[in-house]
Amino acid sequence: MNNKKSKKLVKKIFTKNIILLVILVVVIVYLSFITDYEGLASFTPYFLFIQISIYLLGSGRTFDVFDPYHGVSILHLLYSSAALMFVAEARFIPQGDYINISHALEFSKVSLFIQITLSFVNNIFSNQKIQDFAPANNSGLKLERGSIRLALLILLALLMLQVGELNPIGISSYGDRVLDYNVNKRGQSTSGLTEFIEIFAQIGILFLSVYILIVESKKNHLRLFAVSIIGLLLVKYFLAGDRSSLVTCIFFLLIVRHYFVANLNIVYVLLCSIFGYVIFNLISIARVSSDPFEMIFIVTNYILENGITIFALDKSGELMAGANFIKLISEVDATGVRFGGNALDSILSFIPRFMMNREAYFGNETFVRWYYPEVFTQGGGHGYFLPMDGYWDFGVVGALVFMVVYLSILKHFYYLLLKNKSKIIYIFVYAVFFSQLIAFGMRSGVYAASKQFLIYAAPLVLIILLLRFENTKIRNRKVV
């Protein structure tokens, strides 16, 4: 019986892949007849529909919102479609660089290849045994209840360390803070160590607050304290315009709820996605200030001047990282690929500057440094679409292979989580993993996102080991 079901599944996956190949051939042939921007502009609405269809054909037998395939595939189609829509209408990217029609068409073909590749990879994984992603049974969770006192002590120590940073009144705006911060970060050898300490404190505060919520579910005063700290973090990140930290915090909460309390249903996911899209686009406009009333005034004026069209895909500043891929395609066409130079520089960038004085940068920094040196000198940057890492080194083939390896690694981590979701450390680390390597990585590149993940995950692992050590000591005392 199982053999019969397996054959039926293989046949279904084979049929899906054949349909994907037919779509690829038809669209590539159609694109070969487009010779001007008018033709490309008329094609872009269909491009989004085709991308969505490819995504659906790659979906597996079950739907888990935090399956990496959904995050990677949906974000890829949004970023690539938004970029193509913008360039097809404007004929240049947001930075003002004119784009030749041939490079825009190349981008549409590469994006289509990548979307189909992602579906192929997920269809292969769909042939594996279906994993149970239902929330873990509370009684089976390995919670370290004996170590709650140590958790509170560490949390209080971190709060004292960050007391100035958590004050909503004294928060500086993104515009006032980030440029100077980036200049110092790129120029000082100890900047990486300073950044690690700051992230350690903030991710530690978030983790321990959620940990207390879970472990001390019956003590209302501790739950209220933990909720207040989480709320303070959300307010801080919002007023500071720190979208990366805000995304990390939100995904952390949602993933813990999804795998610990109750799975998020599709309606909840859709509402959260729409709300998140609106909020993050508004933050892009409002973060020139950190005063909440001034932020509301800025947003209101912007909407009155531009209307609700600011929420269209091609008007979203957040999604314009895809347009920089088109810029890279034009530069690679003129100078050639780097044959692994980007990968080598990125690997060297993992080494802290206080340990090795280096000129190597991650791809997202090198992109700005080479093509927008004035912006780089001022501490600025531009979005760096995830497939750019592979394309810059080896062209189209590099981008495709890169995305296959990338999604395969993500899927293996996902299956590891599902097998061990009764262990709270796996849920917490996966929350950071998803927010950094998927949400953050889509607009910063894999290498930079991987380093960010390691920096964010280190505090979790260290704190959990301390709590487990304390819990073991308490158990040993009880035995004696």
Side-chain angles (χ1 to χ4, degrees), residues 311-438:
F311 299 114
L313 287 182
D314 58 336
K315 300 295 189 298
S316 169
E318 176 64 26
L319 297 178
M320 281 302 106
N324 292 323
F325 193 0
I326 309 178
K327 165 69 174 177
L328 182 66
I329 288 172
S330 66
E331 295 295 339
V332 167
D333 185 42
T335 61
V337 296
R338 296 187 64 189
F339 294 107
N342 176 55
L344 179 60
D345 283 348
S346 297
I347 291 169
L348 290 174
S349 294
F350 277 86
I351 304 172
R353 280 193 168 86
F354 70 88
M355 293 177 62
M356 186 187 80
N357 189 14
R358 53 178 169 77
E359 283 297 319
Y361 295 90
F362 287 112
N364 56 348
E365 293 179 303
T366 303
F367 177 80
V368 180
R369 185 172 175 241
W370 284 15
Y371 305 124
Y372 304 99
E374 291 183 4
V375 175
F376 181 83
T377 303
Q378 294 168 4
H382 294 304
Y384 186 80
F385 195 25
L386 189 140
M388 291 168 67
D389 273 324
Y391 188 90
W392 207 349
D393 276 334
F394 300 106
V396 178
V397 174
L400 295 179
V401 172
F402 195 83
M403 295 303 287
V404 168
V405 174
Y406 168 70
L407 183 57
S408 298
I409 291 173
L410 294 183
K411 292 288 286 190
H412 281 296
F413 268 86
Y414 170 68
Y415 285 126
L416 183 63
L417 161 74
L418 295 185
K419 290 176 183 176
N420 296 277
K421 66 179 186 292
S422 63
K423 300 173 184 175
I424 199 168
I425 187 172
Y426 282 87
I427 297 176
F428 284 147
V429 172
Y430 187 76
V432 175
F433 179 84
F434 192 95
S435 65
Q436 298 306 309
L437 282 168
I438 297 178

Side-chain angles (χ1 to χ4, degrees), residues 43-340:
F43 169 74
T44 51
Y46 301 104
F47 182 77
L48 176 60
F49 173 76
I50 292 166
Q51 296 261 62
I52 294 173
S53 300
I54 293 169
Y55 156 70
L56 293 174
L57 284 168
S59 298
R61 293 171 285 171
T62 56
F63 179 80
D64 180 6
V65 62
F66 293 114
D67 181 331
Y69 170 73
H70 300 301
V72 173
S73 190
I74 291 173
L75 286 175
H76 176 267
L77 72 87
L78 287 175
Y79 275 88
S80 57
S81 297
L84 194 64
M85 288 176 181
F86 181 90
V87 171
E89 182 181 343
R91 306 187 183 188
F92 53 79
I93 61 174
Q95 290 89 285
D97 302 81
Y98 174 77
I99 297 296
N100 188 287
I101 181 64
S102 63
H103 300 137
L105 288 170
E106 174 76 4
F107 171 77
S108 63
K109 293 174 184 176
V110 173
S111 298
L112 185 66
F113 270 116
I114 290 172
Q115 196 71 38
I116 286 178
T117 299
L118 294 174
S119 292
F120 269 127
V121 172
N122 200 57
N123 279 335
I124 292 170
F125 276 95
S126 295
N127 198 25
Q128 296 184 8
K129 182 180 178 181
I130 296 178
Q131 298 290 331
D132 174 25
F133 57 87
N137 187 345
N138 288 15
S139 62
L141 280 170
K142 295 184 178 178
L143 297 174
E144 322 297 347
R145 285 186 166 84
S147 58
I148 191 65
R149 289 183 181 178
L150 179 60
L152 281 167
L153 283 173
I154 297 173
L155 177 58
L156 290 172
L158 293 176
L159 286 172
M160 290 177 65
L161 186 66
Q162 288 284 296
V163 65
E165 295 292 327
L166 291 175
N167 181 7
I169 298 174
I171 293 173
S172 58
S173 70
Y174 179 87
D176 292 336
R177 183 185 73 257
V178 170
L179 295 182
D180 289 338
Y181 173 79
N182 284 341
V183 170
N184 292 331
K185 177 182 172 182
R186 291 163 183 170
Q188 295 179 3
S189 60
T190 58
S191 59
L193 185 59
T194 305
E195 181 185 20
F196 177 77
I197 293 171
E198 185 176 341
I199 290 174
F200 187 104
Q202 294 194 27
I203 199 69
I205 290 170
L206 173 61
F207 158 64
L208 287 167
S209 299
V210 176
Y211 182 84
I212 290 167
L213 270 177
I214 295 172
V215 176
E216 294 297 341
S217 57
K218 295 180 181 179
K219 295 186 178 180
N220 290 332
H221 64 288
L222 286 179
R223 286 173 61 82
L224 181 60
F225 173 68
V227 169
S228 300
I229 297 301
I230 294 169
L232 197 60
L233 283 174
L234 290 171
V235 170
K236 165 190 160 55
Y237 296 144
F238 180 82
L239 294 179
D242 188 351
R243 293 179 298 183
S244 176
S245 296
L246 188 60
V247 164
T248 301
C249 193
I250 291 171
F251 273 118
F252 200 96
L253 297 172
L254 290 177
I255 288 174
V256 170
R257 183 188 186 279
H258 183 68
Y259 293 113
F260 181 81
V261 182
N263 289 149
L264 307 178
N265 60 49
I266 188 66
V267 175
Y268 190 92
V269 170
L270 286 173
L271 289 175
C272 285
S273 299
I274 294 169
F275 179 75
Y277 178 80
V278 171
I279 289 297
F280 279 90
N281 277 289
L282 293 180
I283 290 176
S284 299
I285 300 165
R287 62 181 182 170
V288 294
S289 172
S290 60
D291 182 293
F293 297 104
E294 190 175 347
M295 292 171 80
I296 293 171
F297 179 77
I298 292 168
V299 168
T300 303
N301 279 351
Y302 195 91
I303 292 176
L304 289 174
E305 289 178 11
N306 299 277
I308 60 171
T309 57
I310 63 169
F311 299 114
L313 287 182
D314 58 336
K315 300 295 189 298
S316 169
E318 176 64 26
L319 297 178
M320 281 302 106
N324 292 323
F325 193 0
I326 309 178
K327 165 69 174 177
L328 182 66
I329 288 172
S330 66
E331 295 295 339
V332 167
D333 185 42
T335 61
V337 296
R338 296 187 64 189
F339 294 107

